[in-house]
Amino acid sequence: MSAPFYPRPRKALGQHFLTDPRILGRIADALSAAPGDTVVEIGPGRGALTDILLARTLRVVAIEVDRDLAPMLVERHAGNPALTVIAQDVLEVNLAEAAGVAPFLVVGNVPYNITTPILFHALQRPRAARAVYLVQKEVAERVVAKAGDESYGALTANVQVVAKAEMLFTVPAGAFIPPPKVESAVLRLTPLEQPLIAADEEAPYRLMVQGAFGMRRKQMLRVVRELWSLDPLAAGALLETAGITPTDRPEVLSPDDFARLLRARLQASRLTSA
Ligand code: SAM
């Protein structure tokens, strides 16, 4: 079969194609998938990873927004019932519905300009049993950081409150065509069996964490006062209930600390409105 003629990589779609079969194999390994498992692949591009997943007899649902590459992938695997291609923006696709089965897995060498929205999108319930992403190394470091680390922030606290995050290995820029400006890393997210917050706490948790890290240089007493328009007494009481030191700054609070703070706040507002 002659090699297909691919259109020039589109910068606006973050297209950097991975060609190294060894790295592609390691990404597929990180999924720990069993034959017949369903994998939602985000941004298959020219299909290098898709080919490997299909060769491992996985069922692949590939979501690709590029109007040229999506039909090329369909054509290349015509007649293979294990592949479904959805030619759409992944942020507009419900991943669990696209998978059509539970459990399902997620994998993707994702476009770097929308990595964070994709991570959040894929963390919506019902979640994949495992998700493996190739992302900018700096983003992977932020996701796996510990409270107090330099790269710890809202992204970390939002991910780790519902999932275990692991940075598995780094990938040099030279492994891609065209090479990106930065180093990349493979990140694996596995939902916690017991998330630190309940489903209905996720939206207020995210708001609280975003708000707190918007004031990362302030102490928690001030942060809590500003977040919820509280007087010093009420703010101090909330922090005490949550077991948080009022002079701490948001960057040293673990996801569990934030979860306790939210619970204290929800409890207090329920008491006030009762
Ligand atoms: N997986 C391929 C590889 O490893 O060679 C391509 C990776 S490339 C970094 C990112 C891919 O995501 C591109 O194919 C791009 O067209 C696609 N993409 C960009 N934005 C997207 C979106 N919003 N929804 C779905 N796919 C998108």
Side-chain angles (χ1 to χ4, degrees):
M1 198 171 39
S2 61
F5 173 76
Y6 286 113
R8 217 193 249 264
R10 293 193 164 101
K11 218 174 164 184
L13 293 180
Q15 292 184 347
H16 298 279
F17 300 106
L18 196 51
T19 50
D20 186 326
R22 207 180 53 90
I23 297 173
L24 289 161
R26 287 180 75 191
I27 294 173
D29 290 346
L31 276 172
S32 302
D37 280 356
T38 294
V39 185
V40 175
E41 185 186 358
I42 299 174
R46 296 176 178 174
L49 182 59
T50 322
D51 293 354
I52 291 179
L53 300 172
L54 290 170
R56 294 185 180 196
T57 64
L58 302 175
R59 192 181 148 250
V60 180
V61 178
I63 306 171
E64 173 56 65
V65 78
D66 188 304
R67 60 190 178 283
D68 294 318
L69 295 182
M72 289 176 89
L73 190 60
V74 173
E75 199 176 313
R76 199 146 58 81
H77 290 280
N80 184 347
L83 176 66
T84 305
V85 178
I86 300 177
Q88 224 178 310
D89 177 346
V90 65
L91 298 177
E92 289 169 5
V93 178
N94 177 310
L95 302 189
E97 277 174 21
V101 289
F104 67 100
L105 305 167
V106 164
V107 72
N109 167 12
V110 295
Y112 291 172
N113 50 342
I114 53 166
T115 301
T116 306
I118 288 177
L119 294 182
F120 281 124
H121 182 60
L123 276 175
Q124 282 170 22
R125 294 167 188 252
R127 302 187 174 105
R130 264 181 307 288
V132 175
Y133 302 101
L134 185 53
V135 298
Q136 263 176 273
K137 185 175 165 222
E138 178 257 322
V139 174
E141 283 170 346
R142 283 203 275 139
V143 174
V144 304
K146 301 247 173 312
D149 288 355
E150 207 182 313
S151 37
Y152 185 77
L155 178 63
T156 328
N158 277 315
V159 171
Q160 292 186 13
V161 77
V162 292
K164 175 173 127 186
E166 304 163 276
M167 187 165 112
L168 300 181
F169 57 93
T170 56
V171 178
F176 300 85
I177 296 175
K181 289 202 175 73
V182 292
E183 212 183 340
S184 303
V186 173
L187 177 70
R188 179 165 59 196
L189 302 186
T190 311
L192 299 175
E193 269 175 37
Q194 313 249 286
L196 305 179
I197 49 172
D200 61 350
E201 292 169 345
E202 284 177 16
Y205 178 91
R206 201 176 290 184
L207 269 180
M208 174 191 67
V209 165
Q210 291 308 128
F213 279 98
M215 302 179 252
R216 65 187 301 149
R217 299 276 159 251
K218 294 190 177 159
Q219 298 183 345
M220 283 310 293
L221 184 68
R222 169 60 58 189
V223 170
V224 165
R225 286 190 63 190
E226 291 196 17
L227 273 179
W228 295 309
S229 309
L230 296 175
D231 61 43
L233 218 62
L238 265 193
L239 289 167
E240 193 177 341
T241 308
I244 293 167
T245 310
T247 50
D248 275 353
R249 295 180 205 280
E251 59 211 13
V252 302
L253 263 60
S254 68
D256 196 33
D257 292 331
F258 279 118
R260 285 198 318 277
L261 178 59
L262 177 69
R263 219 156 289 133
R265 163 67 183 166
L266 293 177
Q267 204 179 357
S269 45
R270 268 195 292 268
L271 287 178
T272 329
S273 60

